[in-house]
Amino acid sequence: MAEAESKEALETKLVDKVGEAISAIADAKHVDQVISAVHSVALLLFPVDPTTRIGEKVSSSLVPCAKDERSDWSQTFYRGVAFPTFARVLLLDVASDWLSCFPVSVQKHLYDSFFLDGPVVEVVQVLVPFLHHVDKNSSVDANSVQTNVERLLILCLLENAGVLKMTKEIGDYYQGDSSRNGNLKPLLSRLSQILTSIPDKARLKSPPLLSSHLYFKHITNQLLQILDDRASCNEANSTDIVLSFVGEMFSRICRRGLSDLLLSEVTPHVLAHVRRLLNSNKGSVEIESFQLDPTSQIWLKTVEAVTDPYAVEKMAEQLLHQLYAEHASDVEAFWTIWTLFHRNVKHQASVRSIFVDKFLLWKVFPIRCLRWILQFSVLECPPVTNTLAKGDITQGLLETTQRIASVWSKGEFLQSVPLEQQAYITAALGLCLENMSREELDRKKDVMHNILQGVSCRLENPGDLVRKMASSIAFMFSKVIDPKNLLYLDDSFTGNAIDWESELQTAVGGVRSITSSRENGDGETKTSASLTEGNDSSGRNKQKKDRKSKDIANFVLADPDEIVDLATLNCGTESDKDDDNASVSSDNSSVTSLEPYDLLDDDKDLGKQFTHLVDVVGALRKTNDADGVEKAIYVAEKLVRASPDELTHIAGDFARILVQVRCSDITVEGEEDSAEEKRQRALIALLVTRPFESLETLNSVLYSPNVDVSQRIMILDVMSEAARELANTRTLKPKHQARGPLISNISDPQPWYLPSDASTPWKKVEETASFHLNWANRYERELQPKPGQKMKGKTRRWSLRSGDRDQSSTDWSQNRFPLYAAAFMLPAMKEFDKKRHGVDLLGRDFVVLGKLVHMLGVCMQCASMHPEASALALSLLDMLQRREVCNHPEAYVRRAVLFAASSVLIALHPSYIVSALAEGNFELARALEWIRTWALQVADSDIDRDCYSMALSCLQLHAEMALQTSRALESAGGKSSSSMGPMNISLPSGISKLTSFKLPSSNVLL
Amino acid sequence: MSKRPPPDPVAVLRGHRHSVMDVSFHPSKSLLFTGSADGELRIWDTIQHRTVSSAWAHSRANGVLAVAASPWLGENKVISQGRDGTVKCWDIEDGGLSRDPLLVLNTSAYHFCKFSLVKKPKTSLKEAEGQSNNHDEQDVEDKRNAQCTDGSVGSVGDSDLLQVTDGDHAESATYVAVAGEEPTEVEIWDLNTRSKIIQLPQATPDESASASTKERGMCMAVQLFSPPESQGFLHVLAGYEDGSTLLWDIRNPKIPLTSVKFHSEPVLSLCVASSCDGGISGGADDKIVMYNINHSTGSLTLRKEIILERPGISGTSIRPDGKIAATAGWDHRVRVYNYRKGSPLAILKYHGATCNAVSYSPDCELMASASEDATVALWKLYPPHKSL
């Protein structure tokens, strides 16, 4: 009681003292007065260095000298109201008005000591609120106040290891009086809240040390230091409370979004410890050694103290990433994760579900992390060297496998999840399967069913990678079912195990790099892919075949059995002569030495036996004569390209038969691709040479029930290729087909009727100029330069007009496609949505739909800037706007639609849009506007990365198109107003109305 | 590779617009005759590799089937056979063909069998003319059903006419053998008299024996030659549709001397070496057969059978020195063999279509091959050493 009384008295005294000092400061006219006032208080609390006393008027009346007394004073000062009150004055008034005048030493030893020498717990609580104390009305200079507070915080917390001190103080409290323990929890949480909020409260201009990155780095280091200290000295009492404080700090740091920073410090720390432990145990790792290890226990408790599930998740996630970055081995990683999380996982269902559900099904980690996750949370036993090890308890594995498999098998999952995640989950499923036995698989019937379902729905996907996933899983599955009879769905893959990392995840990465190319490139990559897609993994087959053919070549080149006879090499002719010499006298002996030439014979050149298309068609019909069909396919393109007259009549038939030929039936294994390619080339040639006839057939075949999906795809592929070729043919055609002279031979190619002494051949001058110039044939030749003559031009000509020779002698054929555009596009678009026998584009045959849309896009591009494009664009856009098409669940179709929409944007001539607007045809504007909104929508929400990037480039094209159109619109408007005559009449007020309400929006909307 | 790659042609003669059906060298000059399926007969200079002249020897629709020149005909004569039922003899004047043929034999034969001039051994030629080069007969081609009745009935009386005596070669060697109007028969015509002399087998009024020989089918190839052992009497070698080869002595037109069946498919080409003691034949099967002719016993014996990868030999030729032989194949290749040993020497790949004929020049320097790809290729393989 007396103690309490004396304390009270002390406090009153202190408050009085502080009050005096405050009023002195308030009244101060000179800095010395302020210093002395502050000093008077400081003297009570700290052993102040007398040299700092600058003011002379120090009242020496109250000089507590005893150390004990001073600590009493100090305790009372900081615990009570005195400190907050005085701090307020120090931080506001002194800091803003006087501090800049303080000498450096005074500031350091007198002013700062109030904050640095006191208990951090209290100081921080006082300091932090002033960080953003902005009182507009007061006369205080906010800037200097805040700068000062920031400086003090840095000094207090970071440079003087404030957090470390703080935990000591907390421990002291804890030990000091247990009655306060009830208050401790809220205090700790308040403290941690204050500590972690500092970077947020700090101003933008605050020193870099207070920026969240550096600040939390320091704080984290201090926290780690604390943990280490606690691990080394085992004072159990306060440890728990300290650890819970640290845990609270961790969770708050994670909440602030700095889990990466936190774990980038924590992970190496723990990892180093784990490595140390592993090394000391020389490989023989037992759970006990970790369980008993004090550091591990400290960590366990700390992480257990992190009660916020969000923080736990973030920490675990970052831990995995950090371990990956640190190149931890499987064993090290396992023990690191184990050290931090095993108790959480065991005791908290939510944490467990983070690992088993979230990390497996929702997040995407590198495959190595996936292995750790599986090992830790599913297999639940330490790994053996670097392979996944299976414990005794397999229930978890079974359940997880079942869960993954059921997710994996769903078609919607395939459609709605980005490729990376698909690859990730596929790998997870594969790794799970790897660790299962047949009996275990049999126990869960669903798994088998789900896997088969998933494989089958993936195998018909157009994406190479998706098919690869299917084949990988199928392989793993077959390995579980029957290890001796492995199922290879993929030709290129022949190994015994699958490297999930390189097979799937890096491949996904590869896809990313390709699709980031621009729109134009996109079209090309797509088509190059389209052919291969059509052929069902032909690329790989091609590789294989290349390998084969190379082998053959090598074999031929290095025939080990061949006998090299040097004599024959060197004196072959001589021996011949000798031979014949001798033969005159005695023929028998001589003949023996006739040296044979190389007798190697192959039948490469014998393929071209068909010389008439009719024969080819006939041969193709005889499907039982595989050789004949093959040969016919091989020559078909050449014959078609020759474009004989008969082609017109048989083009339709021919196209139909080419579509129906089954390349796989007629060719030997491994040769299908070349035949397939030849067949497609022939079809392309047919489409190019006789578009109308062959298109009629192809379009009728396209939706007929007696072709299958692959044939439909092939037809569409071929059509797009043909469209491209038609659009790009810029062949140089000689206008006159030069008739060769009647008689010629190889040594002298020059016609007889030309001067024979010419050193260079004569050429007829081709002239197609006006009629009167063309009265006679003229010939020209190049003269060889005389010695010493300067070459001025390359040739000399004697002709009246030689300037236009290049133009007249050759015929630049231009884009021929627009003529046929309608024939290409309209029939295919007409009934695409009709569900017929064997045809269901909107549903099952989405690949065909994608191809169709892509083909239409290609057609648009090929017809671009031609009037036909404008005519066809509307109907194409109509088709694209169908909800079933543009919002198709398959990304493949959406990609195609984006491509087609972009093609439309490219293909439309701005002037056409202008004229459409001028005519009041707003349908087009609406359709174009739809493209924009839809592309925006895709860019916003599509899960497919390709779709996203394509949508972006589509938007870009849209913007360009809008710009061009608005320019054209302006110029058209200007013309209409300036020019006289019919123009003015034909563009009535509508145009001005149009521009007035359309133009502002057209920049954005069109 | 240790071995030499097969050579390319030394020259390619282009100019024909259709399949070149036959090729033949001039017996002494450096000229080459070619006939194409559109009826054009061309004469080429084999040194300059140029066309010397060109003429429509036969109608376009029918075309030239065979051309041949022979020392026994004279320096300035060439004979062509068309599928219009005629054999025409032309005069070569000033490097060009005469406007009209010297004579026309209306054989009324519309088959594919190439005609044959008389081939005589070198020695007899040398004696006769003092001039070394003998003419290498062209491949003998398809001949339609020369049905050779085995029947022995028939007169022997005509045989005198067919004796080619050494002293009288110029006159008596002007015979032409050709599958007749009835394609199962072989007819022999005299160019001097422009008349048919004999047909083999000689028609017999009574024969039932012909039934057996009908099975042989059409005559596809014929070769006329005059072996030294037969005192100048002509012999005929004829190949038939069923793959059998018959040897006839003109003196006995009713019965062939011998009948052998080397081939399993129609015999398309026959060639007898200039020594007249053997020959080579090719057919539609995958075999090339080399055989000996034994005149004392009147028999044909198989000497060597070569199996081919791909069937079809449409032309054969043996070099006048009897060292090498060449075949023209349906598989676009010209194959060269060591005639004595029957071993393969070269496979010549140049032509882009079926080869129709091969022929050696009288001086053994050049070989010409004719092909359906409208080209004629000249080759120089194993040139003989020119000894004085």
Side-chain angles (χ1 to χ4, degrees), chain A residues 242-274:
Chain A
V242 168
L243 290 186
S244 79
F245 172 69
V246 174
E248 179 96 28
M249 284 296 287
F250 279 173
S251 78
R252 290 205 183 258
I253 292 176
C254 290
R255 271 281 171 188
R256 303 257 159 199
L258 287 161
S259 51
D260 53 339
L261 187 85
L262 175 69
L263 269 297
S264 73
E265 299 293 327
V266 169
T267 312
H269 202 81
V270 181
L271 189 59
H273 172 70
V274 167

Side-chain angles (χ1 to χ4, degrees), chain B residues 295-311:
Chain B
H295 294 286
S296 57
T297 59
S299 64
L300 290 171
T301 49
L302 180 72
R303 182 158 65 86
K304 172 90 183 174
E305 186 179 89
I306 299 159
I307 304 295
L308 299 170
E309 280 177 59
R310 289 175 286 271

Side-chain angles (χ1 to χ4, degrees), chain A residues 284-296:
Chain A
S284 64
V285 195
E286 279 148 21
I287 290 193
E288 288 75 33
S289 66
F290 277 92
Q291 273 172 343
L292 297 178
D293 180 57
T295 315
S296 304

Side-chain angles (χ1 to χ4, degrees), chain A residues 617-628:
Chain A
V617 175
L620 287 178
R621 283 219 173 90
K622 285 179 203 148
T623 43
N624 48 2
D625 176 18
D627 271 356

Side-chain angles (χ1 to χ4, degrees), chain A residues 405-425:
Chain A
S406 72
V407 170
W408 190 76
S409 67
K410 287 194 184 98
E412 298 82 51
F413 171 76
L414 186 59
Q415 289 171 348
S416 61
V417 168
L419 209 52
E420 299 85 9
Q421 198 168 350
Q422 303 241 12
Y424 180 75
I425 294 180

